[in-house]
Amino acid sequence: MTRTGTASTHILRSFALLLFLSVAGTAALADGETAPARDSKQPVDDAYTAKIHKYTTQPFFTSPLVDYLPASKNVPTPEAVLGDVAGAPGILPYAEDVYKYMRLLEKASPRVKVFSIGKTEEGREMIAVAVSSPENLKNLDENRARLAKLADPRAIKLDDTEADRIVAQAVPVYYITGTIHSPETGAPTALMELAYRLAVDESPYIREIRDGMITLITPVVEVDGRDRMVDIYHWHLAHPQDFYPPLIYWGKYVAHDNNRDAMGVTLKLTENVLKTYVDWKAQVLHDLHESVPYLYDNTAGDGPFNAWVDPILTDEWEMIGWRNVSDMTKFGMPGVFTHGVFDTWSPGYLMFIAAMHNGISRLYETFGNGGADTLPRTLDPEEYARTWYRQNPPLPKVLWSQRDNNNYEQTGLLTSLHYFNENKRLFLKNFYLKAKRSVTKPGAEGPAAYVLPGDDPRLGSQAALLQVLQKQAVEISRATAGFTVTLPVKKSPKPKKDAKDTKEKDTPPAPTTREFPAGSYIVRMDQPYSRIADALLDYQYWSPDDPQKTPYDDTGWTFGDLFGVQVTRVTDPKVLDVAMERVKEVHAPAGVSGDGTIYAINNNAEPALATLRYKLHDASIEAAEEPFESAGKKFSRGSFLLRNVTRAQLHDAISDLGLQATPVSAMPSVKTHPVRAARIAFVHTWLSTQAEGWWRIALDNLGIPYDYISTQIVAKTSDLHSKYDVILFPPVGFFSSPTAIVNGLPSTWGNPLPWKYTPETPNLVGKNDSTDDMRPGLGWEGVAHLQSFVEKGGVLLTATDTSRFALAIGLADGVSVANAQKMKIVGSVVGARLVDGTSPIAYGYDEKLSAYCDNGPIFSLSSISGARGGRRLGGEMHTRPTGRGTMDDPDFTIGRPGFEVPEEPKAEIWENPLLTDEQLHNNFRAIPPANRARVIFRYADSKELLISGLVEGGDEIAQHAAVVDVPTGSGHVILFSINPVYRGETRGTYSLVLNTILNFDSLNVGRKLAEK
Ligand SMILES: [Zn+2]
């Protein structure tokens, strides 16, 4: 620290001391509010307290709430497990140790109860710890029954008086979750000590919390990632002079995105926390993170707020958030603020489970060191700048400890809990009101319901979507008879004032109706959790003119579109009177409709078809290359024809897949090709594994087997083609550059970064991959191996940044990527159009497709090797030159007869440009038609590009190729500009990948060759 630094620190210290004294003296509180002060009659644990002081680097990095530890005769302190105090340097407990301590607390104190709330993907336990008065804990069920009536006001017939009566008696539940983000390491020890304080401290301030409410704590959300993080930290302690490996895997599948799963609920941790939150009827879900100095309550952010959030909630954010800031500022703790960069639009964050289930979502970012080292920390100017929302900013440079972080986390939580308890009647009433407003939604803002038709061609994907809603605790009903609803009038643009056709002006368009068959699913909006269903099924619009120019995350997610299933938003309240019954579990109809030797299964791009191929090892399966009719049914291109399988075997295989098989008397007359179980290699880098993690979990859930290999293994494997038919190289993420994929991490200096089993790192290996050194990338050897794989007939599938990589290393001639100038597509749902429906990659798809795009690369095609395809402006560029006649006339030349102008070859934006005779003359670069890229899907026209979210400057990518099959050598490179497999939300585009796998050796089927 510099001289000036020391001086200013000193001044701050005296200032904080003054503030501290004034708070402890005569705090100005509202009537009846209890001041934070310890109980002078309760003894203090002096040794523990001394260590708290020792590890706190500045006296103003603590508060009167946590600068001492009350002593207890029979309840062990965190020291019993940690060997030191919470937040001590060098100590980072495994989840198991944290649980061990919580269970010690449970044993020693009637004020603590531990509940197991489920397992992670790798089988580790998740827990929730309830701390409250023994009486409250004894009456949990009774209290839950009370809260349930507030959570579902239908139970009390929306009777406000009855609600008031319950509000006066109920004990609220405040749910705190820690360390979902594994490198953000401080929460577990802070929560161990918090649980102790809540159980032991007899000060009036803490007693009120304990007696007045139930604090529920999940100290470790990402348990698999926590254990790996602790491993890494131990490795670091054992090799203090070395660089330590970055945490490349957190959970089994994804890293930071584990906090983007609250829509799709694909991960166990989301499912377990959601279930706990809903089962306990909790009022708050408060998630702890560490990335901003020193405590940023980023719940509210600066907009745009999620459109489906009740304004009652946004007011609650402000109340609790600002009170939090105020309380901690009074303690003299610098750097506590709310608002700031977050936008609160996407409902994908874990905390948003509460926002979408009538509770209060909260999130802290405190300041962590990514481990338990005490470190000098220097901030960026924008981090310590004073702003309107941060009047007391953090200091430019400090020594920062895990204990400091624990002090902030606990102080923030304790003041929140206390304030919440002081105002619990208000918050409980709000909880009821938000639920009531969810139930009365059809008559208020609407809609009345969403209907998913019983005759959707993709009943399997429809069931998958409804299962997501059921995980979200949404009630699903099913119509027992057909019904008709009135659809709202689509407003057409007003005719201009001088419009001549007055008839059109006078007659408003008539409302249309739609009929739905029996068996259609109805998601009623008059239910307590209508909000989440509405948010997932509705469309999102983010205006390019929004003052928020940097969306924090995805801007669009419409689940019906992304799942490829029909969803109708119905405002007609009559839909609620339709004869229907509640559905406990949604299953798509499945089975075999009779005996035969050949069975046909229609192809509607249902991912389950791929599952079936791998499930039925011995069956012979062929794909029809053209549509056909058989047994009175229509089958589309790509439909499966199965032989060598008994009805019983087939029935067993498809009964839980949502597929229906029909016996056919003979093979149809259309051409078919075999569908073989491709041998798949799934390639990951050691740069980042998150984006591919979403692909991995999708394949695992579908039961598609693959070898999981790193780019380093690709570099070492010269005979990829003899081992694999298909190599999937999913996105690396963070727009990784081709050079980063080839080079890996810098290895000219530094030490090897092992990711493997060692005594210090027992949790790194097993479920994922391992290496002695994470640094080497694919290398040029690896590039050569990929090239040889494709040359020899292999299929390499890439998406977004790996497509850029494939193009950069020259694996897909005739396709180039243009740099976007103004385009801004931030995690949006966009329209795509089928270009070549005969390609097996398109089997089962319709003309229109919705897809997830995040500034996808802009592909352009060229028919000349090595040339950049550009945006051909066509027509406008070739208007006639100045001369005689009208615009469409030919010009003339005086004194000679006219001549025939040769027709310019014209191609659409997404097509291969046709070559002129000039271009073809002795042009060894001209790509023969059979070697040119084949576009399967393109982006929609500019006007139809945006489906949900933000699309700005979309004309730069509109009409350009979105899914391309590039023949290379004897093989294929498949390039995706969209990301077809993403966050468990894009089931509708999974089959683009699966079709590629299933038809790996028949991808040229249906290929039409251009003339030139
Ligand atoms: Zn975080």
Side-chain angles (χ1 to χ4, degrees), residues 936-999:
I936 318 299
F937 275 94
R938 65 170 175 92
Y939 285 103
D941 297 355
S942 197
K943 273 186 182 165
E944 294 178 326
L945 192 60
L946 169 65
I947 290 176
S948 259
L950 168 65
V951 170
E952 192 177 359
D955 48 351
E956 286 187 62
I957 203 167
Q959 297 192 331
H960 282 257
V963 182
V964 196
D965 168 3
V966 188
T968 300
S970 313
H972 294 259
V973 177
I974 315 299
L975 307 166
F976 283 80
S977 169
I978 58 165
N979 186 352
V981 187
Y982 179 74
R983 290 185 179 173
E985 298 170 6
T986 61
R987 196 182 173 90
T989 44
Y990 285 4
S991 288
L992 294 169
V993 175
L994 301 172
N995 280 342
T996 305
I997 293 170
L998 292 175
N999 301 282

Coordinates of all heavy atoms in Angstrom, one line a residue, residues 936-999:
I936 N -29.1 -26.0 -45.3 CA -30.3 -26.7 -44.9 C -31.3 -25.7 -44.3 O -32.5 -25.8 -44.7 CB -29.9 -27.7 -43.8 CG1 -28.6 -28.5 -44.1 CG2 -31.1 -28.7 -43.5 CD1 -28.6 -29.3 -45.4
F937 N -30.9 -24.9 -43.4 CA -31.8 -23.8 -42.9 C -31.1 -22.5 -43.1 O -29.9 -22.4 -43.0 CB -32.1 -24.0 -41.4 CG -33.3 -24.9 -41.2 CD1 -33.1 -26.3 -41.0 CD2 -34.6 -24.4 -41.2 CE1 -34.2 -27.1 -40.8 CE2 -35.7 -25.2 -41.0 CZ -35.5 -26.6 -40.8
R938 N -31.9 -21.4 -43.3 CA -31.3 -20.1 -43.4 C -32.1 -19.2 -42.4 O -33.2 -19.7 -41.9 CB -31.6 -19.5 -44.8 CG -33.0 -19.3 -45.1 CD -33.2 -18.4 -46.4 NE -34.6 -18.3 -46.8 CZ -35.4 -17.4 -46.5 NH1 -35.0 -16.4 -45.7 NH2 -36.6 -17.3 -47.0
Y939 N -31.6 -18.1 -42.0 CA -32.3 -17.2 -41.2 C -33.5 -16.6 -42.0 O -33.4 -16.4 -43.2 CB -31.4 -16.0 -40.7 CG -30.4 -16.5 -39.6 CD1 -29.1 -16.7 -39.9 CD2 -30.9 -16.6 -38.3 CE1 -28.2 -17.1 -38.9 CE2 -30.0 -17.0 -37.3 CZ -28.7 -17.3 -37.6 OH -27.8 -17.7 -36.6
A940 N -34.5 -16.2 -41.3 CA -35.7 -15.7 -41.9 C -35.4 -14.3 -42.5 O -34.3 -13.7 -42.2 CB -36.8 -15.6 -40.9
D941 N -36.3 -13.8 -43.3 CA -36.1 -12.4 -43.8 C -36.1 -11.5 -42.6 O -36.7 -11.7 -41.6 CB -37.3 -12.1 -44.7 CG -37.3 -13.0 -46.0 OD1 -36.4 -13.8 -46.1 OD2 -38.3 -12.9 -46.7
S942 N -35.6 -10.3 -42.9 CA -35.4 -9.3 -41.8 C -36.6 -9.1 -41.0 O -36.6 -9.1 -39.8 CB -34.9 -8.0 -42.5 OG -34.3 -7.2 -41.5
K943 N -37.8 -8.9 -41.7 CA -39.0 -8.6 -41.0 C -39.5 -9.7 -40.1 O -40.3 -9.5 -39.2 CB -40.1 -8.3 -42.0 CG -40.1 -6.8 -42.4 CD -41.3 -6.5 -43.3 CE -41.3 -5.1 -43.7 NZ -42.3 -4.9 -44.8
E944 N -39.1 -10.9 -40.4 CA -39.6 -12.1 -39.7 C -38.5 -12.7 -38.8 O -38.7 -13.8 -38.2 CB -40.1 -13.2 -40.6 CG -41.3 -12.7 -41.4 CD -41.8 -13.7 -42.4 OE1 -41.0 -14.4 -43.0 OE2 -43.0 -13.8 -42.6
L945 N -37.4 -12.0 -38.6 CA -36.3 -12.6 -37.9 C -36.6 -12.6 -36.4 O -36.3 -13.6 -35.7 CB -35.0 -11.8 -38.2 CG -33.7 -12.4 -37.7 CD1 -33.5 -13.7 -38.4 CD2 -32.6 -11.4 -38.0
L946 N -37.1 -11.6 -35.9 CA -37.3 -11.5 -34.4 C -38.5 -12.3 -34.0 O -39.6 -12.0 -34.5 CB -37.4 -10.0 -34.0 CG -37.9 -9.8 -32.5 CD1 -36.9 -10.4 -31.5 CD2 -38.2 -8.4 -32.2
I947 N -38.3 -13.2 -33.1 CA -39.5 -13.9 -32.5 C -39.6 -13.4 -31.1 O -40.6 -13.0 -30.6 CB -39.3 -15.4 -32.6 CG1 -39.5 -15.8 -34.1 CG2 -40.4 -16.1 -31.8 CD1 -39.3 -17.3 -34.4
S948 N -38.5 -13.5 -30.3 CA -38.5 -13.1 -28.9 C -37.1 -12.5 -28.6 O -36.1 -13.1 -28.9 CB -38.8 -14.2 -28.0 OG -40.1 -14.2 -27.6
G949 N -37.2 -11.4 -27.9 CA -35.9 -10.8 -27.4 C -35.5 -9.6 -28.1 O -36.3 -8.8 -28.6
L950 N -34.2 -9.4 -28.3 CA -33.6 -8.2 -28.9 C -33.0 -8.6 -30.2 O -32.1 -9.4 -30.3 CB -32.6 -7.6 -28.0 CG -31.7 -6.5 -28.6 CD1 -32.5 -5.3 -29.0 CD2 -30.6 -6.1 -27.6
V951 N -33.5 -8.0 -31.3 CA -32.8 -8.1 -32.6 C -32.6 -6.7 -33.1 O -33.6 -6.0 -33.4 CB -33.6 -9.0 -33.6 CG1 -32.9 -8.8 -35.0 CG2 -33.6 -10.4 -33.2
E952 N -31.4 -6.3 -33.2 CA -31.1 -4.9 -33.8 C -30.1 -5.2 -34.9 O -29.2 -6.0 -34.8 CB -30.4 -4.1 -32.7 CG -30.4 -2.6 -33.0 CD -29.8 -1.8 -31.9 OE1 -29.5 -2.3 -30.8 OE2 -29.6 -0.6 -32.1
G953 N -30.3 -4.4 -36.0 CA -29.4 -4.6 -37.1 C -29.5 -6.0 -37.7 O -28.5 -6.6 -38.2
G954 N -30.7 -6.6 -37.6 CA -30.9 -8.0 -38.0 C -30.7 -8.3 -39.5 O -30.5 -9.4 -39.9
D955 N -30.8 -7.2 -40.3 CA -30.7 -7.4 -41.7 C -29.3 -7.9 -42.1 O -29.1 -8.4 -43.2 CB -31.1 -6.2 -42.5 CG -30.5 -4.9 -42.0 OD1 -29.8 -5.0 -40.9 OD2 -30.6 -3.9 -42.7
E956 N -28.3 -7.8 -41.2 CA -27.0 -8.2 -41.5 C -26.9 -9.8 -41.6 O -26.1 -10.3 -42.2 CB -26.0 -7.7 -40.5 CG -25.6 -6.3 -40.6 CD -24.5 -5.8 -39.7 OE1 -23.4 -6.4 -39.8 OE2 -24.8 -5.0 -38.8
I957 N -27.8 -10.4 -40.8 CA -27.8 -11.9 -40.8 C -29.0 -12.5 -41.4 O -29.1 -13.7 -41.7 CB -27.6 -12.4 -39.3 CG1 -27.0 -13.8 -39.3 CG2 -28.9 -12.3 -38.5 CD1 -26.5 -14.3 -37.9
A958 N -30.1 -11.6 -41.6 CA -31.3 -12.1 -42.2 C -31.0 -12.8 -43.5 O -30.1 -12.4 -44.3 CB -32.3 -11.0 -42.4
Q959 N -31.7 -13.9 -43.8 CA -31.6 -14.7 -45.0 C -30.2 -15.5 -45.2 O -30.1 -16.3 -46.0 CB -31.8 -13.8 -46.3 CG -33.2 -13.2 -46.3 CD -33.4 -12.6 -47.7 OE1 -32.5 -12.2 -48.4 NE2 -34.7 -12.6 -48.1
H960 N -29.3 -15.2 -44.3 CA -28.0 -15.9 -44.4 C -28.2 -17.3 -43.9 O -29.1 -17.6 -43.1 CB -26.9 -15.1 -43.7 CG -26.3 -14.0 -44.4 ND1 -25.2 -14.0 -45.1 CD2 -26.9 -12.7 -44.6 CE1 -25.0 -12.8 -45.7 NE2 -26.0 -12.0 -45.4
A961 N -27.2 -18.2 -44.3 CA -27.3 -19.6 -43.9 C -27.2 -19.7 -42.4 O -26.4 -19.0 -41.8 CB -26.2 -20.3 -44.6
A962 N -28.0 -20.6 -41.9 CA -28.0 -20.8 -40.4 C -27.5 -22.2 -40.1 O -26.9 -22.4 -39.1 CB -29.4 -20.6 -39.8
V963 N -27.8 -23.2 -41.0 CA -27.3 -24.5 -40.8 C -26.8 -25.0 -42.2 O -27.5 -25.0 -43.2 CB -28.4 -25.5 -40.3 CG1 -27.8 -26.9 -40.1 CG2 -29.1 -25.0 -39.1
V964 N -25.5 -25.3 -42.3 CA -24.9 -25.6 -43.5 C -24.1 -27.0 -43.5 O -23.5 -27.3 -42.5 CB -23.8 -24.6 -43.9 CG1 -23.5 -24.7 -45.4 CG2 -24.3 -23.2 -43.6
D965 N -24.3 -27.7 -44.5 CA -23.6 -29.0 -44.7 C -22.5 -28.8 -45.8 O -22.8 -28.6 -46.9 CB -24.6 -30.1 -45.1 CG -23.9 -31.4 -45.5 OD1 -22.7 -31.5 -45.5 OD2 -24.7 -32.3 -45.9
V966 N -21.2 -28.8 -45.4 CA -20.2 -28.6 -46.3 C -19.4 -29.9 -46.6 O -18.8 -30.5 -45.7 CB -19.2 -27.6 -45.8 CG1 -18.2 -27.2 -46.9 CG2 -19.9 -26.3 -45.3
P967 N -19.5 -30.4 -47.9 CA -18.8 -31.6 -48.2 C -17.3 -31.3 -48.2 O -16.9 -30.3 -48.8 CB -19.3 -32.0 -49.6 CG -20.3 -30.9 -50.0 CD -20.2 -29.8 -49.0
T968 N -16.5 -32.1 -47.5 CA -15.1 -31.9 -47.4 C -14.4 -33.3 -47.5 O -14.7 -34.1 -46.7 CB -14.7 -31.2 -46.1 OG1 -15.4 -30.0 -45.9 CG2 -13.2 -31.0 -46.0
G969 N -13.6 -33.4 -48.6 CA -13.1 -34.7 -48.8 C -14.2 -35.7 -49.0 O -15.2 -35.4 -49.7
S970 N -14.1 -36.9 -48.4 CA -15.3 -37.8 -48.4 C -16.3 -37.5 -47.3 O -17.2 -38.3 -47.2 CB -14.8 -39.2 -48.3 OG -13.7 -39.4 -49.2
G971 N -16.0 -36.6 -46.5 CA -16.8 -36.4 -45.3 C -17.6 -35.1 -45.4 O -17.8 -34.5 -46.4
H972 N -18.0 -34.7 -44.2 CA -18.9 -33.5 -44.1 C -18.5 -32.6 -42.9 O -18.2 -33.2 -41.8 CB -20.3 -33.9 -43.9 CG -20.9 -34.6 -45.1 ND1 -21.7 -33.9 -46.0 CD2 -20.8 -35.8 -45.5 CE1 -22.1 -34.8 -47.0 NE2 -21.6 -36.0 -46.7
V973 N -18.6 -31.3 -43.1 CA -18.5 -30.5 -41.9 C -19.8 -29.7 -41.8 O -20.3 -29.1 -42.8 CB -17.3 -29.4 -42.1 CG1 -17.3 -28.5 -40.9 CG2 -16.0 -30.2 -42.2
I974 N -20.5 -29.9 -40.7 CA -21.8 -29.3 -40.5 C -21.6 -28.1 -39.6 O -21.1 -28.1 -38.5 CB -22.8 -30.3 -39.8 CG1 -22.7 -31.7 -40.4 CG2 -24.2 -29.7 -39.8 CD1 -23.0 -31.7 -41.9
L975 N -22.0 -26.9 -40.2 CA -21.8 -25.6 -39.5 C -23.2 -25.1 -39.0 O -24.1 -25.0 -39.7 CB -21.2 -24.6 -40.4 CG -19.9 -25.0 -41.1 CD1 -19.6 -24.0 -42.3 CD2 -18.7 -25.1 -40.2
F976 N -23.2 -24.7 -37.7 CA -24.4 -24.1 -37.1 C -24.1 -22.6 -36.8 O -23.1 -22.4 -36.1 CB -24.9 -24.8 -35.9 CG -25.6 -26.1 -36.1 CD1 -24.9 -27.2 -36.4 CD2 -27.0 -26.1 -36.0 CE1 -25.6 -28.4 -36.6 CE2 -27.7 -27.3 -36.2 CZ -27.0 -28.5 -36.5
S977 N -24.9 -21.7 -37.2 CA -24.8 -20.3 -36.7 C -25.6 -20.1 -35.5 O -25.3 -19.4 -34.6 CB -25.2 -19.3 -37.8 OG -25.3 -18.0 -37.3
I978 N -26.8 -20.8 -35.5 CA -27.6 -20.8 -34.3 C -26.9 -21.8 -33.3 O -26.0 -22.6 -33.7 CB -29.0 -21.4 -34.5 CG1 -28.9 -22.8 -35.2 CG2 -29.7 -20.4 -35.5 CD1 -30.2 -23.5 -35.2
N979 N -27.3 -21.7 -32.0 CA -26.9 -22.8 -31.1 C -28.0 -23.7 -30.8 O -29.0 -23.3 -30.2 CB -26.4 -22.2 -29.7 CG -25.8 -23.3 -28.8 OD1 -25.9 -24.5 -29.1 ND2 -25.2 -22.9 -27.7
P980 N -28.0 -24.9 -31.4 CA -29.1 -25.8 -31.4 C -29.4 -26.5 -30.0 O -30.5 -26.9 -29.7 CB -28.8 -26.9 -32.4 CG -27.3 -26.9 -32.5 CD -26.9 -25.5 -32.2
V981 N -28.4 -26.5 -29.1 CA -28.5 -27.1 -27.8 C -28.1 -26.2 -26.7 O -26.9 -25.9 -26.6 CB -27.7 -28.5 -27.8 CG1 -28.0 -29.2 -26.5 CG2 -28.0 -29.3 -29.0
Y982 N -29.0 -25.7 -26.0 CA -28.7 -24.6 -25.1 C -29.6 -24.6 -23.8 O -30.8 -24.5 -23.9 CB -28.8 -23.3 -25.9 CG -28.6 -22.0 -25.1 CD1 -27.2 -21.7 -24.8 CD2 -29.6 -21.2 -24.7 CE1 -27.0 -20.5 -24.1 CE2 -29.3 -20.0 -24.0 CZ -28.0 -19.7 -23.7 OH -27.8 -18.5 -23.0
R983 N -29.0 -24.7 -22.7 CA -29.6 -24.5 -21.4 C -30.9 -25.3 -21.2 O -31.8 -24.8 -20.5 CB -29.9 -23.0 -21.1 CG -28.7 -22.2 -20.9 CD -29.0 -20.7 -20.6 NE -27.8 -20.0 -20.3 CZ -27.8 -18.7 -20.1 NH1 -28.9 -18.0 -20.2 NH2 -26.6 -18.0 -19.9
G984 N -31.0 -26.4 -21.9 CA -32.2 -27.2 -21.7 C -33.5 -26.5 -22.2 O -34.6 -26.9 -21.9
E985 N -33.3 -25.5 -23.0 CA -34.4 -24.7 -23.5 C -34.7 -24.8 -24.9 O -35.7 -24.3 -25.4 CB -34.1 -23.2 -23.2 CG -33.9 -22.8 -21.7 CD -33.4 -21.4 -21.5 OE1 -33.3 -20.7 -22.5 OE2 -33.1 -21.1 -20.4
T986 N -33.9 -25.6 -25.7 CA -34.0 -25.5 -27.2 C -34.3 -26.9 -27.8 O -33.8 -27.2 -28.8 CB -32.7 -25.0 -27.8 OG1 -31.6 -25.9 -27.4 CG2 -32.4 -23.6 -27.3
R987 N -35.1 -27.7 -27.1 CA -35.4 -29.0 -27.5 C -35.9 -29.1 -29.0 O -35.6 -30.0 -29.7 CB -36.5 -29.6 -26.7 CG -36.7 -31.1 -26.8 CD -37.8 -31.6 -25.9 NE -38.0 -33.0 -26.1 CZ -37.4 -34.0 -25.4 NH1 -36.6 -33.7 -24.5 NH2 -37.6 -35.2 -25.7
G988 N -36.5 -28.0 -29.5 CA -37.0 -28.0 -30.9 C -35.9 -28.0 -31.9 O -36.2 -28.4 -33.1
T989 N -34.7 -27.7 -31.5 CA -33.6 -27.8 -32.5 C -32.6 -28.9 -32.3 O -31.6 -29.1 -33.0 CB -32.8 -26.4 -32.6 OG1 -32.6 -25.9 -31.3 CG2 -33.6 -25.4 -33.4
Y990 N -32.8 -29.7 -31.2 CA -31.9 -30.8 -30.9 C -31.8 -31.8 -32.1 O -30.8 -32.3 -32.4 CB -32.5 -31.7 -29.7 CG -32.3 -31.1 -28.4 CD1 -31.8 -29.8 -28.2 CD2 -32.7 -31.8 -27.2 CE1 -31.6 -29.3 -26.9 CE2 -32.5 -31.3 -26.0 CZ -32.0 -30.0 -25.8 OH -31.9 -29.5 -24.5
S991 N -33.0 -32.0 -32.8 CA -32.9 -33.0 -33.9 C -32.1 -32.6 -35.1 O -31.7 -33.5 -35.9 CB -34.4 -33.3 -34.3 OG -35.0 -34.1 -33.3
L992 N -31.7 -31.3 -35.2 CA -30.8 -31.0 -36.2 C -29.5 -31.7 -36.0 O -28.8 -32.1 -36.9 CB -30.6 -29.4 -36.3 CG -31.9 -28.6 -36.7 CD1 -31.6 -27.1 -36.4 CD2 -32.2 -28.8 -38.1
V993 N -29.1 -31.7 -34.7 CA -27.9 -32.4 -34.4 C -28.1 -33.9 -34.4 O -27.2 -34.7 -35.0 CB -27.4 -32.0 -32.9 CG1 -26.2 -32.8 -32.5 CG2 -27.1 -30.5 -32.9
L994 N -29.2 -34.4 -33.9 CA -29.4 -35.8 -33.8 C -29.6 -36.4 -35.2 O -29.2 -37.5 -35.5 CB -30.7 -36.1 -33.0 CG -30.5 -35.6 -31.5 CD1 -31.8 -35.7 -30.8 CD2 -29.4 -36.3 -30.8
N995 N -30.3 -35.7 -36.1 CA -30.5 -36.2 -37.5 C -29.1 -36.3 -38.2 O -28.9 -37.3 -38.9 CB -31.3 -35.1 -38.3 CG -32.8 -35.3 -38.1 OD1 -33.2 -36.3 -37.6 ND2 -33.5 -34.2 -38.4
T996 N -28.2 -35.4 -37.9 CA -26.8 -35.5 -38.5 C -26.2 -36.8 -38.0 O -25.5 -37.5 -38.8 CB -26.0 -34.3 -38.0 OG1 -26.7 -33.1 -38.4 CG2 -24.6 -34.3 -38.7
I997 N -26.4 -37.1 -36.7 CA -25.8 -38.3 -36.1 C -26.4 -39.5 -36.8 O -25.7 -40.4 -37.2 CB -26.0 -38.3 -34.6 CG1 -25.1 -37.2 -34.0 CG2 -25.6 -39.7 -34.0 CD1 -25.4 -37.0 -32.5
L998 N -27.7 -39.5 -36.8 CA -28.5 -40.7 -37.3 C -28.2 -41.0 -38.8 O -28.2 -42.2 -39.2 CB -30.0 -40.6 -37.1 CG -30.5 -40.5 -35.6 CD1 -32.0 -40.2 -35.6 CD2 -30.2 -41.9 -35.0
N999 N -28.0 -40.0 -39.5 CA -27.8 -40.1 -41.0 C -26.4 -39.8 -41.4 O -26.2 -39.4 -42.6 CB -28.8 -39.2 -41.7 CG -30.3 -39.6 -41.4 OD1 -30.8 -40.5 -41.8 ND2 -30.8 -38.8 -40.5

